[in-house]
Amino acid sequence: MAVYEDFAKLDIRAGTIIKAETFPKARKPAYKLTIDFGDEIGIKKSSAQITKLYQPEDLTGKKILAVVNFPARQIADFMSEVLVLGTDSKEGIVLAVPDKPEEVKDGDKLC
């Protein structure tokens, strides 16, 4: 069983997707995302398997949540630096997003 201290080790932050593009070299369908996490963390990249429910043009400007303190992971020829969060739903991955995105600043920490 996980304890609170396990959760506290995760650094989950809000960020805004500033660029989304297809990722044909990925083994499973995915997008390359460029995400702004504000001044403290900066711009990070992620590979996200969210192609079933999202189109790249709909992702730009979307506020998301991501784990920013996992080690970077090589996906084909791309270095994924953060883990974008979502639910594994029946129709595909649904992004975890703030309920009031206009109130959330890039870099805000999930608590």
Side-chain angles (χ1 to χ4, degrees), residues 72-91:
R73 184 171 178 186
Q74 185 83 37
I75 310 289
D77 63 347
F78 182 76
M79 191 61 72
S80 186
E81 301 172 293
V82 300
L83 177 65
V84 174
L85 299 175
T87 62
D88 190 3
S89 301
K90 184 178 180 182
E91 300 301 319

Side-chain angles (χ1 to χ4, degrees), residues 3-39:
V3 295
Y4 177 78
E5 288 74 19
D6 296 323
F7 172 75
K9 292 177 188 176
L10 298 176
D11 190 359
I12 301 172
R13 302 287 183 118
T16 301
I17 298 172
I18 56 175
K19 184 178 179 185
E21 56 190 315
T22 59
F23 188 7
K25 290 185 179 180
R27 239 181 344 180
K28 296 180 181 179
Y31 295 133
K32 292 180 185 179
L33 304 178
T34 304
I35 307 162
D36 185 353
F37 289 100
D39 292 337

Side-chain angles (χ1 to χ4, degrees), residues 54 62-65 85-86 94-101:
Y54 300 95
K62 187 172 242 355
K63 190 80 69 176
I64 54 87
L65 296 171
L85 299 175
V94 176
L95 290 169
V97 298
D99 179 47
K100 296 184 181 279

